[in-house]
Amino acid sequence: VQLQASGGGLVQAGGSLRLSCAASGRTFSSYVMGWSRQAPGKGREFVAAISWSGGNTYYADSVKGRFTISRDNANNMVYLQMNSLKSEDTAVYYCTADPSLSDVIKMRSDSWGKGTQVTVSS
């Protein structure tokens, strides 16, 4: 599956952004979808994942309660709603896809999109 993320930008601390990821391929609904991020000078970090049906979601502790992942299988889209943004959320955000939840959470997904930059100013 090919992935294209969008929606990044510059936002003030406390603000919100919604990232979108468009996926190609007929088997989108068979993939666990996720978001990971990489902050300047740091390694990649798992952010969120959502099951095939969308019925189960998983979050890193650092974003729990502030970020919400969702998906639209009819339109091959996955979203990340980010609220109460903090300066430490500044990173390049990547959309990922894999049949395995474990691989998405461990950032071993088969498919990665090009990232979208999120910058939070304090």
Side-chain angles (χ1 to χ4, degrees), residues 24 51 66 112-113 120:
S24 63
S51 62
R66 301 187 297 121
W112 288 71
V120 183

Side-chain angles (χ1 to χ4, degrees), residues 91-109:
V92 176
Y93 284 71
Y94 298 91
C95 179
T96 72
D98 196 276
S100 165
L101 172 63
S102 175
D103 282 351
V104 170
I105 292 175
K106 295 179 181 178
M107 297 183 294
R108 297 193 297 225
S109 296

